[in-house]
Amino acid sequence: MSEFHEAVIIGGGPAGLTAGVYLRRAGIDAALVERGVLGGTAARTEQIDNYPGFPEGISGADLTRLMAEQAKRFGLVVKEFFDVSLVSRKDDGRFLVTSGESEIETRGVILAAGTEWKQLGIPGEKEFVGRGVSYCATCDAMFFQDQDVAVIGGGDSAIQEAMTLANLCRRVSVVHRRDRLRAQVVIQERAFRQGNIEFLWNKAPLEIIGKGQVESVLLRDTQSDGRSTLKVDGVFVFVGLEAKTAFLGDLVDRDRAGFIEVGEDLASKTKGLFVAGDVRTKRLRQITTAVGDGALAAVGLEQYLLEAR
Ligand SMILES: Cc1cc2nc3c(=O)[nH]c(=O)nc-3n(C[C@H](O)[C@H](O)[C@H](O)COP(=O)(O)OP(=O)(O)OC[C@H]3O[C@@H](n4cnc5c(N)ncnc54)[C@H](O)[C@@H]3O)c2cc1C
């Protein structure tokens, strides 16, 4: 027989942890499942300066650890390394949340599964993951101390990550397909002042090359179509985010980028299934908005559970 909880939250980032606090404070028997360890994307952010209540800023790891402690204080059941592979709805309206051989039955679900970095999809990328190709400067910068790296992308995350790398690396080459950045002006200005960051404008990566370890990137000039080789020890890819929610099948509607479409109350098209945080279509993907979503989804689910009784 499968384990039962009244509510299951999928994802242990700020949205899921906040939903956990609200559900438990409403007296609902709730479990949170997380495919890795608690904290989500936020835990990998070195310094968070725009979350209220921390005038000196706080590291993402510390902030999410505090969120997790708070949720656990109210008795949230937490299951780490529970990678959800399927969510299905039974005839009686209950859900089954499955990970490998494990299964949890529940009356309501809050999906707070966040986003993942998009891949470039070029030769060499997959082969060199963990051997020079990375999607997280905060996690991997230390492996490239005094070395040369490329950052692919021109948005806020790419430039923030380039600055993290510039603190440790010898040279950081930002490779961007256009002739100006998309990042906020204040972030751009800080990057332009950093002596060891160079900008390679109108360039797109074609292939990552190496023998066992990344050695260079083949670049295409987006204007002249000319080719050039950039010698680097590492390639950090930040070309946008995507939501991976195939495990929900057609229980939800998605936009073209895979983000889940919900109404203002965060209810999906399937009764009892609510969606919170970065995984849904929204204007601003931040911790503040994820936390707000977590609260709203929990209140929506609480109402649903009361009415469905
Ligand atoms: C480089 C970078 C810097 C940032 N800096 C800031 C900042 O300074 N300030 C700020 O406010 N925001 C910042 N953000 C954004 C912020 O991190 C996100 O908006 C926030 O973490 C979203 O929270 P979430 O709970 O929706 O998703 P996430 O934090 O992404 O958490 C989702 C969780 O769901 C889990 N999950 C996914 N699929 C499954 C599955 N199938 N089964 C089980 N678990 C699953 C994931 O492992 C993850 O732990 C930054 C983001 C990045 C990438």
Side-chain angles (χ1 to χ4, degrees):
M1 219 181 91
S2 41
E3 185 175 336
F4 175 81
H5 293 281
E6 263 186 291
V8 170
I9 302 159
I10 302 173
L17 290 167
T18 306
V21 170
Y22 274 71
L23 288 176
R24 286 301 304 140
R25 281 172 55 86
I28 293 166
D29 156 37
L32 181 150
V33 295
E34 162 57 52
R35 72 168 164 211
V37 293
L38 293 180
T41 315
R44 301 196 329 207
T45 305
E46 207 168 83
Q47 173 78 3
I48 292 166
D49 281 322
N50 55 2
Y51 190 76
F54 299 92
E56 303 302 322
I58 183 167
S59 76
D62 283 345
L63 178 63
T64 53
R65 182 179 44 75
L66 291 170
M67 288 179 179
E69 274 175 24
Q70 193 170 353
K72 285 177 185 168
R73 177 160 75 90
F74 292 111
L76 180 69
V77 174
V78 170
K79 292 176 182 295
E80 290 177 311
F81 304 106
F82 190 107
D83 189 355
V84 176
S85 51
L86 183 68
V87 177
S88 54
R89 199 154 199 246
K90 298 175 27 183
D91 291 342
D92 63 4
R94 290 186 172 194
F95 296 89
L96 287 177
V97 179
T98 309
S99 171
E101 300 293 299
S102 309
E103 201 171 65
I104 306 178
E105 188 171 333
T106 185
R107 293 173 57 216
V109 172
I110 293 179
L111 177 78
T115 52
E116 284 177 35
W117 287 106
K118 265 192 202 153
Q119 302 195 344
L120 292 166
I122 59 172
E125 182 182 21
K126 267 197 191 134
E127 294 87 314
F128 289 114
V129 168
R131 289 186 292 147
V133 171
S134 169
Y135 302 86
C136 178
T138 311
C139 319
D140 296 335
M142 64 204 178
F143 301 120
F144 298 91
Q145 197 152 8
D146 298 323
Q147 298 185 0
D148 299 336
V149 297
V151 165
I152 316 290
D156 283 353
S157 299
I159 303 311
Q160 275 170 348
E161 298 284 82
M163 284 192 291
T164 299
L165 288 160
N167 290 331
L168 279 166
C169 300
R170 188 172 55 185
R171 190 194 68 210
V172 179
S173 306
V174 175
V175 175
H176 188 41
R177 54 170 50 246
R178 302 199 174 79
D179 61 1
R180 70 185 68 151
L181 300 173
R182 277 181 292 113
Q184 293 170 46
V185 173
V186 55
I187 295 174
Q188 293 191 27
E189 283 171 353
R190 285 212 316 255
F192 291 145
R193 282 199 299 271
Q194 184 88 31
N196 60 342
I197 300 183
E198 65 169 356
F199 292 86
L200 303 180
W201 305 112
N202 301 314
K203 299 278 185 296
L206 281 182
E207 186 177 354
I208 298 171
I209 301 162
K211 286 195 196 82
Q213 197 72 28
V214 168
E215 289 170 6
S216 61
V217 194
L218 179 63
L219 301 175
R220 178 178 73 85
D221 189 297
T222 55
Q223 307 226 301
S224 68
D225 205 35
R227 309 290 141 114
S228 57
T229 301
L230 176 68
K231 285 203 168 305
V232 283
D233 305 290
V235 179
F236 286 79
V237 182
F238 305 108
V239 290
L241 298 163
E242 60 184 345
K244 289 207 173 147
T245 58
F247 58 85
L248 286 166
D250 60 4
L251 294 179
V252 292
D253 288 326
R254 300 170 179 83
D255 70 5
R256 278 168 52 191
F259 294 103
I260 294 173
E261 291 176 330
V262 284
E264 245 182 75
D265 58 359
L266 307 189
S268 72
K269 70 173 186 184
T270 301
K271 282 196 179 346
L273 173 52
F274 289 77
V275 184
D278 281 9
V279 69
R280 74 176 182 96
T281 54
K282 64 190 329 194
R283 175 112 185 263
L284 181 66
R285 291 194 168 83
Q286 289 278 282
I287 300 168
T288 44
T289 59
V291 159
D293 277 9
L296 195 55
V299 170
L301 179 55
E302 180 193 352
Q303 192 66 33
Y304 166 80
L305 293 174
L306 274 175
E307 285 167 8
R309 259 193 191 129

